């Protein structure tokens, strides 16, 4: 490829990274707000949070992008630029999946920990901030890492809006060169490199958080076989 075409691809990478960053921030905020709400003591709060989760988990991210980009301007007069339309659609959609991760990690904390906070006369927010979240967050990192990779792959959907992300830029290069195999191989490799880097960062974050609460990564213990090849 010529330098001009490579420049187009690199611009697409930068747009994809920006979209991933902004939508991941929104999805994280939604995950914690809705996930914590699903453990609330009031049934109406749990119901509303569960309703949101089921709606956004049960709809297509692609259709949500279409709805935000095309329906909002005609129905409400809110015209969003493609970057923010994609961020809103992806953040709300993947935030619904993340809320289940948060809810599951919070409910998995030993009930005795919560009872200890009650015995110390902690408020519900103090119990959440000082007891539950510090123990639950490290357990959220592996599933959040998988969800982040899924979000990275989901960013390719914004190309339907004409947004110059990696997938859209790669398609323009393909049309210019009439070389599908080479261009799409490059795209696969670039997505893989980004995903690999994200995975390593999330693993490092998991180790750091677990060390902060006195946990160590699980190690496999290999039990040697008895000498002689059998039990007597």
């Amino acid at each position: 490829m010529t330098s001009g075409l490579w420049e187009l691809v690199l611009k697409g990478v930068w747009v994809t990274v920006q979209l991933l960053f902004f939508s991941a921030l929104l999805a994280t905020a939604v995950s914690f707000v809705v996930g914590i709400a699903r453990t609330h003591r009031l049934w109406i709060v749990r119901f509303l949070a569960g309703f949101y989760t089921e709606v956004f988990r049960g709809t297509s991210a692609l259709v949500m992008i279409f709805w935000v980009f095309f329906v909002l301007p005609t129905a409400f007069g809110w015209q969003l630029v493609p970057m923010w339309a994609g961020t809103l659609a992806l953040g709300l959609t993947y935030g619904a999946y993340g809320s289940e991760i948060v809810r599951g990690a919070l409910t998995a904390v030993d009930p005795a920990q919560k009872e200890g906070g009650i015995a110390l006369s902690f408020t519900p927010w103090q119990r959440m901030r000082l007891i539950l979240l510090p123990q639950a967050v490290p357990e959220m990192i592996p599933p959040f890492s998988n969800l982040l990779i899924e979000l990275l792959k989901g960013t390719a959907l914004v190309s339907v809006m004409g947004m110059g992300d990696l997938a859209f830029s790669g398609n323009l290069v393909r049309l210019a060169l009439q070389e599908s195999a080479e261009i799409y191989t490059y795209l696969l490799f670039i997505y893989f490199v980004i995903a690999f880097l994200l995975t390593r960062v999330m693993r490092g974050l998991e180790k750091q958080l677990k060390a902060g609460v006195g946990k160590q990564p699980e190690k496999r213990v290999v039990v040697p076989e008895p000498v002689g090849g059998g039990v007597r």
Side-chain angles (χ1 to χ4, degrees):
M1 288 193 298
T2 64
S3 59
L5 295 178
W6 272 116
E7 183 178 353
L8 180 62
V9 172
L10 292 178
K11 286 182 178 179
V13 173
W14 175 237
V15 171
T16 294
V17 170
Q18 291 183 83
L19 178 62
L20 176 65
F21 177 76
F22 292 128
S23 55
L25 283 181
L26 178 58
T28 301
V30 170
S31 297
F32 277 91
V33 171
V34 178
I36 292 174
R38 296 203 66 186
T39 65
H40 201 275
R41 64 182 183 277
L42 296 179
W43 73 268
I44 185 63
V45 177
R46 297 195 303 270
F47 173 79
L48 293 175
F51 179 76
Y52 165 83
T53 301
E54 295 303 324
V55 168
F56 279 86
R57 285 198 311 172
T59 54
S60 167
L62 179 60
V63 176
M64 186 60 64
I65 290 174
F66 280 132
W67 196 91
V68 171
F69 191 64
F70 295 109
V71 176
L72 279 183
T74 57
F76 304 100
W78 300 339
Q79 180 64 64
L80 298 177
V81 297
M83 173 64 75
W84 301 124
T87 297
L88 182 61
L90 293 175
L92 293 178
T93 300
Y94 286 89
Y97 291 96
S99 67
E100 279 295 284
I101 296 175
V102 174
R103 184 194 64 81
L106 289 175
T107 56
V109 176
D110 189 352
Q113 299 289 329
K114 183 177 179 180
E115 294 170 0
I118 296 174
L120 293 173
S121 300
F122 283 180
T123 65
W125 170 240
Q126 287 176 322
R127 293 197 298 270
M128 180 65 66
R129 181 171 60 90
L130 300 175
I131 298 177
L132 298 179
L133 283 177
Q135 298 183 65
V137 168
E139 304 303 325
M140 300 178 193
I141 299 302
F144 266 137
S145 178
N146 292 334
L147 190 62
L148 184 61
I149 301 303
E150 291 298 321
L151 177 57
L152 169 64
K153 294 185 286 187
T155 58
L157 297 174
V158 302
S159 60
V160 299
M161 299 185 295
M163 186 174 172
D165 71 312
L166 179 57
F168 185 83
S169 300
N171 189 52
L172 292 181
V173 174
R174 181 189 68 83
L175 294 175
L177 297 179
Q178 295 296 313
E179 286 288 345
S180 298
E182 178 184 358
I183 301 305
Y184 285 129
T185 300
Y186 282 136
L187 293 187
L188 287 175
F189 178 74
I190 294 173
Y191 276 112
F192 167 76
V193 170
I194 298 175
F196 179 78
L197 293 176
L198 291 174
T199 301
R200 304 309 300 178
V201 170
M202 294 298 285
R203 286 184 180 177
L205 179 61
E206 179 188 2
K207 291 180 180 180
Q208 184 177 2
L209 290 175
K210 286 190 174 182
V213 294
K215 293 183 178 181
Q216 298 295 330
E218 294 183 0
K219 297 181 180 180
R220 296 181 60 186
V221 178
V222 179
V223 180
E225 295 184 359
V227 177
V231 178
R232 297 181 181 178

